[in-house]
Amino acid sequence: RMAWRDSRTSRNKLALFSSSIVLGIAALAAIGSLGKNLEQAIEEQAKALLGADLVVNSRDAFTPDEEEWLRGLGGEQSREVSFSSMIFFRRTEGTRLVQVRALGGAFPYYGKLETEPASAAEDFRHGKGALVEDTLLQQFHAEIGDDIRIGKLTTRVVGRLEKVPGETVALSTVAPRVYISLEDLPRTG
C-alpha cells in the first residue's frame, strides 16, 4: 500500500520503466529463441547441404601416406577430381570453359543429384556419358544425346544437371559444371 501511495505522483514514469523492462526481456527471449531455432535448422540440414559427413579437399594429389590415412577412416568413400577445361559441342560447334568433375563412388550420400532424366544420375557413373548443366545446354541449343568433347574424350550428353547438394547456382555462372565418371578421366588426356 505504501508503494502504491508513493507512486501516485510518478505513475507515468513507473509505467514507462516497467514497459521498458518487459520489452527488453521479450527482445532477449526472442533473440535467444531465434538463435536456437537457427542452430537447430542448420544442424538438421547440414548433411544435405554438404552431401556427406566429411569432405577433404586438396589442390595437390594426395601422397601415399595421405591416401592410406584416408582409407583408414573407413566408411563408404567417394573421389572427385575437378579441373577447368573447354567443352566442345559437336552438333552446334560451340565451345565454353567448364568445370569438369570426374566423380567416382556414390556421392552425394545425403540429398541427390537432380537430373533430367532421373536415370542420368546413375548412367554417367557407369561411363555412359556426361551430365551437363542445364544452362549450358540451353546456351548452345544442345540436347540429351548430343556428342561432346572434353580434351581427348568424346562422349554423349546423358542428362541435364539441375541441382547438386551443397552448391549454389552462383558457382555455375563462371564455369558451368560437367560431370563425368572417374573411370573416363584418363581418356580426357
Side-chain angles (χ1 to χ4, degrees):
R1 285 183 179 177
M2 193 167 81
W4 181 249
R5 250 188 329 208
D6 288 346
S7 71
R8 273 189 235 170
T9 57
S10 57
R11 283 197 180 135
N12 288 339
K13 290 180 184 175
L14 180 62
L16 178 64
F17 182 70
S18 298
S19 297
S20 298
I21 291 173
V22 168
L23 288 175
I25 291 171
L28 286 173
I31 290 170
S33 176
L34 175 68
K36 193 82 100 174
N37 288 339
L38 186 59
E39 187 178 312
Q40 181 181 358
I42 289 173
E43 189 173 310
E44 289 173 357
Q45 296 177 8
K47 288 181 180 180
L49 291 173
L50 186 58
D53 291 320
L54 174 69
V55 174
V56 179
N57 291 321
S58 176
R59 299 189 104 185
D60 301 317
F62 292 115
T63 66
D65 289 341
E66 292 168 336
E67 289 282 354
E68 185 178 329
W69 181 82
L70 289 169
R71 279 191 298 278
L73 292 174
E76 190 174 353
Q77 298 183 7
S78 295
R79 173 67 57 113
E80 178 183 279
V81 177
S82 178
F83 59 95
S84 296
S85 183
M86 297 297 287
I87 188 172
F88 175 70
F89 292 91
R90 293 181 79 180
R91 185 173 59 82
T92 62
E93 296 187 353
T95 59
R96 175 82 155 77
L97 177 69
V98 295
Q99 186 69 28
V100 178
R101 308 248 176 120
L103 186 62
F107 181 84
Y109 298 103
Y110 305 101
K112 65 179 185 169
L113 293 174
E114 292 183 20
T115 63
E116 177 62 41
S119 62
E122 285 303 313
D123 290 345
F124 93 94
R125 294 176 194 274
H126 302 294
K128 295 181 181 177
L131 286 178
V132 179
E133 194 155 328
D134 185 46
T135 57
L136 189 59
L137 292 175
Q138 290 177 18
Q139 180 181 2
F140 290 99
H141 307 291
E143 299 170 358
I144 295 171
D146 284 358
D147 286 338
I148 59 171
R149 191 171 67 226
I150 300 169
K152 296 177 183 175
L153 172 69
T154 299
T155 188
R156 67 184 188 92
V157 177
V158 293
R160 298 176 187 278
L161 180 63
E162 295 174 345
K163 187 176 177 188
V164 178
E167 294 188 5
T168 63
V169 177
L171 290 174
S172 66
T173 57
V174 175
R177 298 161 292 191
V178 175
Y179 277 83
I180 62 173
S181 169
L182 192 60
E183 296 167 4
D184 286 339
L185 180 61
R187 294 177 37 211
T188 65

